[in-house]
Amino acid sequence: MANSPPSINWQRVIGKLTYSAMRWMVNKRGVDRNDPIIRGISPGDLAQEAVVEVIEKYAELSKTGTEEEFLKMAHRIMWHDFLDLVKTKEYRARERLDEQESEREEEFGEAEKQLQELEDADVIKEFYAIAGDDQELKDYIDAVVELGLYKREAIADILGVSAQEVTNRQRRLNYKYLKKEKKRRE
């Protein structure tokens, strides 16, 4: 850029423009920050194309203007290029597909959660039947199945008992379970 005024630092201009383009791609379009590319165009590509366009179309500005004037013009051109890029039919169609995929993932996650709740309910029913009238064992079952606690100390904290009492309840439940299984096999 030999014909440019000495007041323009081209690395700084390209850097600022690239940073702006990356922010737009990430913030406005949800593009991955580590791979911010839309339709094969990177933030650096947008910045370089804007600089070239200012130099070609606004030759007088690129020769006599200040860095700030040049940056403003390139920034405006780059913004319009970015809008053109994201408004294309191909991009919008892909964006709609991404939204639909996201909705399907949410629906799948919800269905998976409901299935887990049903499975948990079945497990609770089965172990409640084993526990019988023993409310202490039912409390232990709830702590494990409903709250997802597995560490003896965490279960003890929730139930307000000692860790040894949790071990005792676990042993009682195991004993009742094995007794039931033995009857079932006979």
Side-chain angles (χ1 to χ4, degrees):
M1 314 253 167
N3 293 339
S4 67
S7 62
I8 295 180
N9 179 333
W10 293 105
Q11 284 184 313
R12 184 172 47 226
V13 167
I14 293 288
K16 286 181 177 182
L17 292 172
T18 301
Y19 178 74
S20 290
M22 181 162 34
R23 272 195 358 251
W24 297 338
M25 288 179 167
V26 171
N27 295 337
K28 299 193 184 308
R29 292 292 142 204
V31 175
D32 181 11
R33 181 177 212 79
N34 297 320
D35 189 24
I37 295 177
I38 297 177
R39 293 184 51 222
I41 298 179
S42 73
D45 296 336
L46 276 175
Q48 290 173 8
E49 288 173 15
V51 168
V52 169
E53 190 169 335
V54 171
I55 290 171
E56 289 175 352
K57 290 187 176 180
Y58 304 96
E60 194 58 38
L61 176 65
S62 66
K63 290 178 185 171
T64 60
T66 65
E67 183 175 317
E68 185 177 323
E69 292 171 325
F70 188 88
L71 191 57
K72 283 181 183 178
M73 180 64 73
H75 198 268
R76 189 171 348 165
I77 289 170
M78 189 174 70
W79 174 248
H80 290 285
D81 289 348
F82 173 73
L83 291 177
D84 290 343
L85 180 66
V86 297
K87 287 183 177 180
T88 61
K89 288 181 183 178
E90 178 184 318
Y91 182 79
R92 284 184 297 192
R94 193 185 90 223
E95 192 173 56
R96 277 194 299 275
L97 287 175
D98 289 346
E99 287 171 9
Q100 290 171 353
E101 183 177 324
S102 177
E103 288 171 9
R104 280 193 305 274
E105 286 175 1
E106 288 174 17
E107 290 170 4
F108 177 74
E110 187 61 34
E112 194 173 39
K113 181 181 172 187
Q114 290 172 351
L115 179 63
Q116 184 63 47
E117 288 172 359
L118 289 172
E119 289 173 355
D120 288 351
D122 289 342
V123 168
I124 289 173
K125 282 181 190 175
E126 183 178 337
F127 278 101
Y128 268 19
I130 294 168
D133 294 334
D134 191 337
Q135 188 58 46
E136 289 180 345
L137 290 183
K138 289 180 179 179
D139 292 343
Y140 171 78
I141 293 164
D142 289 341
V144 173
V145 178
E146 289 281 334
L147 301 176
L149 301 175
Y150 299 102
K151 292 193 175 188
R152 187 172 82 142
E153 292 77 16
I155 296 169
D157 286 344
I158 289 293
L159 297 179
V161 298
S162 69
Q164 183 59 47
E165 177 59 26
V166 170
T167 301
N168 292 341
R169 290 181 189 187
Q170 185 179 31
R171 287 178 181 160
R172 282 195 337 250
L173 186 60
N174 285 340
Y175 174 77
K176 287 185 173 203
Y177 175 75
L178 292 173
K179 189 175 173 181
K180 180 184 175 193
E181 283 296 304
K182 185 177 178 183
K183 282 183 183 180
R184 191 177 62 97
R185 290 183 186 160
E186 292 176 348

